[in-house]
Amino acid sequence: AQSVTQLDSHVSVSEGTPVLLRCNYSSSYSPSLFWYVQHPNKGLQLLLKYTSAATLVKGINGFEAEFKKSETSFHLTKPSAHMSDAAEYFCVVSSNFGNEKLTFGTGTRLTIIP
Amino acid sequence: SAVISQKPSRDICQRGTSLTIQCQVDSQVTMMFWYRQQPGQSLTLIATANQGSEATYESGFVIDKFPISRPNLTFSTLTVSNMSPEDSSIYLCSVESASYYNEQFFGPGTRLTVL
């Protein structure tokens, strides 16, 4: 069984300040973890993924996430927010044990204040 | 990454009718997936479609309501049958990555409104 919890449904930050979107996961097996972004009226875009290699993962648009097994967390960060970062972000877990199904978190809406 | 298109991009339908959504991929893929995203909600997997076999449905979804076809390795359809306003959602198809089996790429979605 696997699940993912996004701890904040909404996050607001000022432009130029750091972004932190929190995600905790549960998985019976070694997990793969993903962050997807969904801009308004657009499809889902993969930001980054953790696949049991380096625990600090760098993605597109300056985002990165750190896999912490002891804390079962995979928080998404960005040093400086840009107006174009305003979107819905989904943390996703999948099992590495032959299960291709993705389990989505409930999403975090990121608002950027000018 | 794969390039995925969906048709229609949006539609407004009457209660009791059916709508077929098409998903086209620019490369051959073994597994395709159909998801539903209800308003303000996250994504829920409807079914997994492999070419040459019947789709596998998740709990809460049945073939009579959401029949799926997978005639070849680049195409799939999802039909939403006998629609009600509760079916108003975004429907997305996705495909597995060719380089990493747990990674999926998503189409742009079909926004369905049922009146």
Side-chain angles (χ1 to χ4, degrees):
Chain A
Q2 59 194 27
S3 66
V4 61
T5 302
Q6 292 185 243
L7 298 163
D8 307 293
S9 58
H10 292 90
V11 170
S12 293
V13 302
S14 296
E15 189 177 15
T17 64
V19 175
L20 170 64
L21 305 183
R22 299 183 293 166
C23 172
N24 286 101
Y25 72 91
S26 172
S27 178
S28 301
Y29 302 100
S30 176
S32 289
L33 292 157
F34 309 85
W35 277 98
Y36 283 87
V37 61
Q38 186 178 37
H39 287 95
N41 300 313
K42 296 289 181 68
L44 286 161
Q45 181 182 20
L46 180 65
L47 272 180
L48 50 79
K49 63 178 184 274
Y50 166 76
T51 58
S52 76
T55 56
L56 182 61
V57 181
K58 294 187 183 300
I60 61 172
N61 301 334
F63 284 95
E64 63 181 38
E66 186 171 9
F67 173 72
K68 292 187 176 180
K69 185 176 180 179
S70 61
E71 300 177 9
T72 61
S73 70
F74 190 59
H75 301 333
L76 182 70
T77 60
K78 182 174 181 178
S80 176
H82 190 274
M83 293 301 296
S84 61
D85 294 328
E88 188 86 16
Y89 291 80
F90 294 97
C91 182
V92 181
V93 64
S94 180
S95 169
N96 283 335
F97 193 66
N99 180 354
E100 299 83 0
K101 297 178 184 178
L102 303 184
T103 299
F104 281 75
T106 51
T108 298
R109 181 167 299 276
L110 176 63
T111 299
I112 310 299
I113 303 167
Chain B
S1 65
V3 177
I4 304 167
S5 60
Q6 286 185 234
K7 290 182 182 179
S9 58
R10 59 178 62 225
D11 206 343
I12 300 173
C13 301
Q14 296 297 319
R15 181 196 300 262
T17 62
S18 298
L19 176 72
T20 295
I21 301 168
Q22 300 178 6
C23 179
Q24 180 76 51
V25 190
D26 68 341
S27 57
Q28 294 184 340
V29 293
T30 303
M31 301 184 73
M32 296 180 75
F33 307 86
W34 286 98
Y35 290 84
R36 181 176 73 182
Q37 186 178 22
Q38 294 177 300
Q41 304 291 317
S42 186
L43 276 76
T44 301
L45 181 64
I46 298 172
T48 302
N50 289 341
Q51 195 269 335
S53 62
E54 286 201 7
T56 303
Y57 289 82
E58 297 299 303
S59 176
F61 298 96
V62 295
I63 188 172
D64 289 346
K65 176 67 175 178
F66 297 102
I68 289 171
S69 77
R70 184 77 202 276
N72 58 51
L73 291 173
T74 64
F75 187 78
S76 178
T77 67
L78 169 77
T79 299
V80 186
S81 303
N82 188 25
M83 290 184 285
S84 67
E86 292 71 34
D87 294 320
S88 297
S89 296
I90 299 172
Y91 292 86
L92 300 102
C93 69
S94 73
V95 303
E96 59 175 357
S97 166
S99 57
Y100 190 77
Y101 76 97
N102 268 347
E103 182 177 314
Q104 292 181 19
F105 299 107
F106 287 81
T110 295
R111 184 178 294 271
L112 171 61
T113 302
V114 184
L115 303 178

